[in-house]
Amino acid sequence: MAPNAAGRGAIRVSMASNEGGEPFIDFLERHPLTWERLLHVLPDGVAFVDDEGIIRHANGVFTALTGYDLDELVGRPVEDIVPSGARAAHVAQRRRFSDEGRVRTMGRHLNLALARRDGSELAVDIALAPIVLDGRRWIITLVRDTSAERSAARARDEIEQRFRLAFEENMAPMAFTDLDDRCIAVNDAFCAMLGRSREELLDGDSSVFTHPEDLGITESVQQRLLAGDVERVRYIKRYVKPDGRVIVVEISKSTARTERGDILYFVNSERDITDELELADQLAHQALHDPLTGLANRSLFDDRLAQAFERVGRYGGFGAVLLIDLDDFKGINDTRGHIVGDELLAAVAGRMQSVTRASDTLCRFGGDEFLYLAEGLASDEEAQQVAARLLGVFDEAFAMSATVVEQRASIGVVSFDAGRADRDTLVRDADVALYEAKRAGKNRAVAFDPSMHHRATSHFELARELRHALAADELAMHYQPIVELSTMTVVGFEALMRWQHPTHGFVAPSVFIPLAEETGLIVELGAFALREAIAAAATWAPDGPYLTVNLSARQFHDPDLVATIERELKASGLAPGRLVLEVTESATLSDVAETLDVIDRLTSHGIGIALDDFGTGYSSLHYLTLVHPQIIKIDQSFVSPTHDPRTRTLLETIVTLGQKLDVEVLAEGIETDEQLSRLRALGCDLGQGYLFAPAVAAAEAAALATRRFGV
Ligand code: C2E
Ligand code: MG
Ligand code: MG
């Protein structure tokens, strides 16, 4: 029943009739319905108010709504149930209304309320119907409780408001689009990303700002969503800004549907990934090239060598690896400084590059060493011709910006054909030949001969000795402080392994760790490192620095790894949250699923993960998204001084990337105050390097833990 049914005046019943065919209205006349009964069945509150504004009668609903008993209500001025704020004006309003004599309904837009007996107010709709009985004016007042409706409306408003905020204030660019890919709503971030006004975007269709080659993408994505096999589709698309600049965005598109499942519109949450892609390109280039000379680096060389090996195996012919080392280059660096040294390296690289055939690869191997991969040789003697061509570039002196330098080089040459089984030892053999070239007086090329094998044997010997080093107590863990750059206090230590060889003295981890990895001994060495380091860290203050321990790729395939770590933590009492494991990209490359599983099991215990040597691999970025580390350790090559502006930009970009992803960024190998202040200015979180301290024995580490470094 409508709330104001009683206010509609006379009820006309023209069609209905009782059973005898008598018009229904006549039937009603014969059986008058009493007011009281009508009042009783009405769902709304009804009161009779006389021309003085006094309540004379009310139904049960009315008394219930007001909270008064009927005998309390009768005789009371109607103003008593008008909220105090509206009471003063009410008397005049009531008189005017009574004089007009028209039925009137007052809806919720007026926000009407009833003052209840207990002082509370109740939201209501009111309908007033003036009638004349026995010559006196009365007002029938109908009241309907709308509090439930109003609070529902309020809740709806609130949800809408919250939603609007979430949409409009969202930092992520968002748009709602219709089936024709026209924008029906966009937020500020979306406008900012596209560099266009809201009006512009809502006006035209998306082809205005979509890259012409990407016009078909949206339609195919929408087809998939419309087909209903997926809830959400992620895809990449290019937009064109008004200034012509192209940006690449990642879009996550889902649908808003009616209750019946019909699509209302599409919800697009977008992300500008232009910079990220650029960074990925730069990193990929950086990963494969030497920043100083622009030549291929070792990774790229290894890759090309593998391909060359395969080609020789399949099609025959010869290939050769030449290891080129500049003679007495260290003297240039020492006497004329690094800047001249760098300039000379770049000049040497340039000249060698100019005699490198398109099918060959020239690589900077490190320091003043270069590798040349020659392919498609008809005989192994041709390798000597390549060597002669390379030596030829040193005949003429190098004119530097400030000086002229005479520079010579020595070359070790090793050729290979389909009969050669082992690619990994090629460079080592070239190194043996190079050693012979140096010994024979430098400035020459020497071809490898298996009789020169003494060096390789010593490698083998070392591997054998390493096996005994553990038992012989020659291995120890040292600890290098990790410094929080904002406070310059020590917040962690990286455990680094040391081998004190009885006759060779100190052997560097860069020599014996790869050896241990080759021979599989790394699993035992790794377990030793974990045991020693965790035990040492457990003696530090309970809220003291955390410990980072390096993990090799091989250790991930050790089925006991997680159990070993758990056992050592339990035995020592070190909280898992104070242990961070350093992993490199090579760890995940071998078996991604298995490695991620191990990492998940470790992190579920509260153990942290740091990405070591970040930026030096092929796919650092990809790896970063897979592993979700707490710390990124930027490789020293990005931190050390360089004249290459790209490397400087990369360092900045990686720091920014870390901030965006909420990952702490640590700079490795800080050696100078200049590097430190640059890193601090960039907002890099953590640092490690000889400027603070090298790795020290456990006893010294404990003393370093509370040290604050000067700013
Ligand atoms: P990493 O994990 O990247 O360790 C950093 C290396 O940089 C360490 O070399 C450290 O001594 C060195 N370093 C620190 N500050 C500076 C600096 O200011 N300048 C320079 N030039 N170098 C600095 P280290 O100890 O020779 O270790 C070399 C690599 O051997 C480590 O690289 C790590 O990959 C591996 N390694 C060391 N200990 C272990 C271990 O217990 N387990 C495994 N799996 N690998 C280890
Ligand atoms: Mg490390
Ligand atoms: Mg590192």
PDB file of all heavy atoms in Angstrom, residues 494 496 550 582 584 611-614 616 633-636 666 668-669 688, ligand 3:
ATOM      1  N   GLU A 494      78.238  -9.652   6.300  1.00  0.00           N
ATOM      2  CA  GLU A 494      78.236 -10.722   5.295  1.00  0.00           C
ATOM      3  C   GLU A 494      79.358 -11.692   5.645  1.00  0.00           C
ATOM      4  O   GLU A 494      80.496 -11.280   5.877  1.00  0.00           O
ATOM      5  CB  GLU A 494      78.467 -10.172   3.888  1.00  0.00           C
ATOM      6  CG  GLU A 494      78.605 -11.313   2.874  1.00  0.00           C
ATOM      7  CD  GLU A 494      78.715 -10.864   1.412  1.00  0.00           C
ATOM      8  OE1 GLU A 494      78.853  -9.656   1.156  1.00  0.00           O
ATOM      9  OE2 GLU A 494      78.657 -11.753   0.541  1.00  0.00           O
ATOM     10  N   LEU A 496      82.051 -14.275   4.676  1.00  0.00           N
ATOM     11  CA  LEU A 496      82.837 -14.595   3.479  1.00  0.00           C
ATOM     12  C   LEU A 496      83.902 -15.623   3.864  1.00  0.00           C
ATOM     13  O   LEU A 496      84.536 -15.506   4.915  1.00  0.00           O
ATOM     14  CB  LEU A 496      83.485 -13.330   2.917  1.00  0.00           C
ATOM     15  CG  LEU A 496      82.482 -12.317   2.347  1.00  0.00           C
ATOM     16  CD1 LEU A 496      83.095 -10.925   2.250  1.00  0.00           C
ATOM     17  CD2 LEU A 496      81.984 -12.769   0.978  1.00  0.00           C
ATOM     18  N   ASN A 550      76.384 -16.382   1.771  1.00  0.00           N
ATOM     19  CA  ASN A 550      76.278 -16.643   0.330  1.00  0.00           C
ATOM     20  C   ASN A 550      75.889 -18.098   0.059  1.00  0.00           C
ATOM     21  O   ASN A 550      76.402 -19.010   0.684  1.00  0.00           O
ATOM     22  CB  ASN A 550      77.617 -16.368  -0.355  1.00  0.00           C
ATOM     23  CG  ASN A 550      77.968 -14.894  -0.324  1.00  0.00           C
ATOM     24  OD1 ASN A 550      77.417 -14.101  -1.068  1.00  0.00           O
ATOM     25  ND2 ASN A 550      78.858 -14.524   0.589  1.00  0.00           N
ATOM     26  N   GLU A 582      72.236 -14.939   0.584  1.00  0.00           N
ATOM     27  CA  GLU A 582      72.561 -14.227  -0.652  1.00  0.00           C
ATOM     28  C   GLU A 582      72.568 -15.220  -1.798  1.00  0.00           C
ATOM     29  O   GLU A 582      73.282 -16.214  -1.765  1.00  0.00           O
ATOM     30  CB  GLU A 582      73.927 -13.570  -0.535  1.00  0.00           C
ATOM     31  CG  GLU A 582      73.975 -12.492   0.528  1.00  0.00           C
ATOM     32  CD  GLU A 582      75.198 -11.590   0.376  1.00  0.00           C
ATOM     33  OE1 GLU A 582      75.921 -11.728  -0.629  1.00  0.00           O
ATOM     34  OE2 GLU A 582      75.413 -10.760   1.276  1.00  0.00           O
ATOM     35  N   THR A 584      72.602 -15.649  -6.178  1.00  0.00           N
ATOM     36  CA  THR A 584      72.863 -14.968  -7.451  1.00  0.00           C
ATOM     37  C   THR A 584      71.912 -15.537  -8.488  1.00  0.00           C
ATOM     38  O   THR A 584      71.297 -16.573  -8.283  1.00  0.00           O
ATOM     39  CB  THR A 584      74.304 -15.191  -7.930  1.00  0.00           C
ATOM     40  OG1 THR A 584      74.513 -16.588  -8.069  1.00  0.00           O
ATOM     41  CG2 THR A 584      75.303 -14.620  -6.951  1.00  0.00           C
ATOM     42  N   LEU A 611      69.559 -10.513  -3.276  1.00  0.00           N
ATOM     43  CA  LEU A 611      70.044 -10.831  -4.628  1.00  0.00           C
ATOM     44  C   LEU A 611      71.455 -10.284  -4.759  1.00  0.00           C
ATOM     45  O   LEU A 611      71.655  -9.077  -4.728  1.00  0.00           O
ATOM     46  CB  LEU A 611      69.171 -10.152  -5.675  1.00  0.00           C
ATOM     47  CG  LEU A 611      67.785 -10.707  -5.886  1.00  0.00           C
ATOM     48  CD1 LEU A 611      67.213 -10.118  -7.169  1.00  0.00           C
ATOM     49  CD2 LEU A 611      67.834 -12.217  -5.983  1.00  0.00           C
ATOM     50  N   ASP A 612      72.412 -11.178  -4.889  1.00  0.00           N
ATOM     51  CA  ASP A 612      73.811 -10.772  -4.949  1.00  0.00           C
ATOM     52  C   ASP A 612      74.187 -10.414  -6.385  1.00  0.00           C
ATOM     53  O   ASP A 612      73.569 -10.901  -7.333  1.00  0.00           O
ATOM     54  CB  ASP A 612      74.672 -11.941  -4.450  1.00  0.00           C
ATOM     55  CG  ASP A 612      75.979 -11.458  -3.861  1.00  0.00           C
ATOM     56  OD1 ASP A 612      76.266 -10.249  -3.961  1.00  0.00           O
ATOM     57  OD2 ASP A 612      76.710 -12.293  -3.283  1.00  0.00           O
ATOM     58  N   ASP A 613      75.188  -9.562  -6.517  1.00  0.00           N
ATOM     59  CA  ASP A 613      75.759  -9.212  -7.831  1.00  0.00           C
ATOM     60  C   ASP A 613      74.691  -8.761  -8.805  1.00  0.00           C
ATOM     61  O   ASP A 613      74.742  -9.076  -9.997  1.00  0.00           O
ATOM     62  CB  ASP A 613      76.523 -10.409  -8.409  1.00  0.00           C
ATOM     63  CG  ASP A 613      77.576 -10.940  -7.443  1.00  0.00           C
ATOM     64  OD1 ASP A 613      77.968 -10.173  -6.535  1.00  0.00           O
ATOM     65  OD2 ASP A 613      77.980 -12.104  -7.586  1.00  0.00           O
ATOM     66  N   PHE A 614      73.716  -7.994  -8.301  1.00  0.00           N
ATOM     67  CA  PHE A 614      72.586  -7.573  -9.140  1.00  0.00           C
ATOM     68  C   PHE A 614      73.078  -6.751 -10.327  1.00  0.00           C
ATOM     69  O   PHE A 614      73.899  -5.856 -10.180  1.00  0.00           O
ATOM     70  CB  PHE A 614      71.577  -6.764  -8.334  1.00  0.00           C
ATOM     71  CG  PHE A 614      70.334  -6.428  -9.111  1.00  0.00           C
ATOM     72  CD1 PHE A 614      69.340  -7.368  -9.269  1.00  0.00           C
ATOM     73  CD2 PHE A 614      70.180  -5.188  -9.714  1.00  0.00           C
ATOM     74  CE1 PHE A 614      68.206  -7.081 -10.000  1.00  0.00           C
ATOM     75  CE2 PHE A 614      69.053  -4.890 -10.448  1.00  0.00           C
ATOM     76  CZ  PHE A 614      68.069  -5.849 -10.586  1.00  0.00           C
ATOM     77  N   THR A 616      74.578  -7.973 -13.080  1.00  0.00           N
ATOM     78  CA  THR A 616      75.653  -8.562 -13.888  1.00  0.00           C
ATOM     79  C   THR A 616      75.169  -9.737 -14.722  1.00  0.00           C
ATOM     80  O   THR A 616      75.894 -10.239 -15.557  1.00  0.00           O
ATOM     81  CB  THR A 616      76.810  -9.060 -13.001  1.00  0.00           C
ATOM     82  OG1 THR A 616      76.283 -10.012 -12.075  1.00  0.00           O
ATOM     83  CG2 THR A 616      77.439  -7.916 -12.251  1.00  0.00           C
ATOM     84  N   LYS A 633      71.718  -6.441  -3.876  1.00  0.00           N
ATOM     85  CA  LYS A 633      73.106  -6.009  -3.739  1.00  0.00           C
ATOM     86  C   LYS A 633      73.624  -5.609  -5.116  1.00  0.00           C
ATOM     87  O   LYS A 633      73.811  -6.458  -5.984  1.00  0.00           O
ATOM     88  CB  LYS A 633      73.952  -7.127  -3.142  1.00  0.00           C
ATOM     89  CG  LYS A 633      73.443  -7.576  -1.764  1.00  0.00           C
ATOM     90  CD  LYS A 633      74.404  -8.523  -1.079  1.00  0.00           C
ATOM     91  CE  LYS A 633      75.592  -7.783  -0.505  1.00  0.00           C
ATOM     92  NZ  LYS A 633      76.417  -8.644   0.377  1.00  0.00           N
ATOM     93  N   ILE A 634      73.820  -4.308  -5.287  1.00  0.00           N
ATOM     94  CA  ILE A 634      74.296  -3.836  -6.589  1.00  0.00           C
ATOM     95  C   ILE A 634      75.759  -4.207  -6.735  1.00  0.00           C
ATOM     96  O   ILE A 634      76.579  -3.903  -5.883  1.00  0.00           O
ATOM     97  CB  ILE A 634      74.190  -2.309  -6.715  1.00  0.00           C
ATOM     98  CG1 ILE A 634      72.801  -1.826  -6.320  1.00  0.00           C
ATOM     99  CG2 ILE A 634      74.523  -1.880  -8.123  1.00  0.00           C
ATOM    100  CD1 ILE A 634      72.652  -0.337  -6.529  1.00  0.00           C
ATOM    101  N   ASP A 635      76.083  -4.836  -7.831  1.00  0.00           N
ATOM    102  CA  ASP A 635      77.446  -5.283  -8.046  1.00  0.00           C
ATOM    103  C   ASP A 635      78.413  -4.112  -8.058  1.00  0.00           C
ATOM    104  O   ASP A 635      78.085  -3.000  -8.477  1.00  0.00           O
ATOM    105  CB  ASP A 635      77.534  -6.040  -9.366  1.00  0.00           C
ATOM    106  CG  ASP A 635      78.874  -6.716  -9.502  1.00  0.00           C
ATOM    107  OD1 ASP A 635      79.111  -7.668  -8.743  1.00  0.00           O
ATOM    108  OD2 ASP A 635      79.689  -6.267 -10.332  1.00  0.00           O
ATOM    109  N   GLN A 636      79.633  -4.417  -7.603  1.00  0.00           N
ATOM    110  CA  GLN A 636      80.651  -3.385  -7.496  1.00  0.00           C
ATOM    111  C   GLN A 636      80.913  -2.656  -8.814  1.00  0.00           C
ATOM    112  O   GLN A 636      81.246  -1.472  -8.812  1.00  0.00           O
ATOM    113  CB  GLN A 636      81.939  -4.042  -7.003  1.00  0.00           C
ATOM    114  CG  GLN A 636      82.944  -3.010  -6.554  1.00  0.00           C
ATOM    115  CD  GLN A 636      84.290  -3.635  -6.276  1.00  0.00           C
ATOM    116  OE1 GLN A 636      84.453  -4.849  -6.355  1.00  0.00           O
ATOM    117  NE2 GLN A 636      85.244  -2.802  -5.933  1.00  0.00           N
ATOM    118  N   LEU A 666      71.590  -2.309  -1.588  1.00  0.00           N
ATOM    119  CA  LEU A 666      72.918  -2.294  -0.970  1.00  0.00           C
ATOM    120  C   LEU A 666      73.959  -2.133  -2.067  1.00  0.00           C
ATOM    121  O   LEU A 666      73.915  -2.834  -3.076  1.00  0.00           O
ATOM    122  CB  LEU A 666      73.141  -3.612  -0.218  1.00  0.00           C
ATOM    123  CG  LEU A 666      74.435  -3.772   0.586  1.00  0.00           C
ATOM    124  CD1 LEU A 666      74.226  -4.725   1.746  1.00  0.00           C
ATOM    125  CD2 LEU A 666      75.616  -4.241  -0.246  1.00  0.00           C
ATOM    126  N   GLU A 668      77.715  -2.628  -3.223  1.00  0.00           N
ATOM    127  CA  GLU A 668      78.886  -3.421  -2.864  1.00  0.00           C
ATOM    128  C   GLU A 668      80.164  -2.686  -3.257  1.00  0.00           C
ATOM    129  O   GLU A 668      80.170  -1.901  -4.195  1.00  0.00           O
ATOM    130  CB  GLU A 668      78.870  -4.755  -3.621  1.00  0.00           C
ATOM    131  CG  GLU A 668      77.706  -5.646  -3.317  1.00  0.00           C
ATOM    132  CD  GLU A 668      77.911  -7.042  -3.917  1.00  0.00           C
ATOM    133  OE1 GLU A 668      77.897  -7.162  -5.151  1.00  0.00           O
ATOM    134  OE2 GLU A 668      78.104  -7.990  -3.137  1.00  0.00           O
ATOM    135  N   GLY A 669      81.235  -2.963  -2.516  1.00  0.00           N
ATOM    136  CA  GLY A 669      82.561  -2.490  -2.915  1.00  0.00           C
ATOM    137  C   GLY A 669      82.754  -0.986  -2.864  1.00  0.00           C
ATOM    138  O   GLY A 669      83.352  -0.392  -3.755  1.00  0.00           O
ATOM    139  N   GLN A 688      78.604  -1.541   1.651  1.00  0.00           N
ATOM    140  CA  GLN A 688      79.584  -2.496   2.115  1.00  0.00           C
ATOM    141  C   GLN A 688      80.842  -2.174   1.336  1.00  0.00           C
ATOM    142  O   GLN A 688      80.762  -1.815   0.162  1.00  0.00           O
ATOM    143  CB  GLN A 688      79.075  -3.889   1.717  1.00  0.00           C
ATOM    144  CG  GLN A 688      79.321  -4.997   2.679  1.00  0.00           C
ATOM    145  CD  GLN A 688      78.754  -6.299   2.122  1.00  0.00           C
ATOM    146  OE1 GLN A 688      77.668  -6.304   1.546  1.00  0.00           O
ATOM    147  NE2 GLN A 688      79.479  -7.375   2.287  1.00  0.00           N
TER     148      GLN A 688
HETATM  149 MG    MG B   3      78.323  -9.445  -4.674  1.00  0.00          MG
END
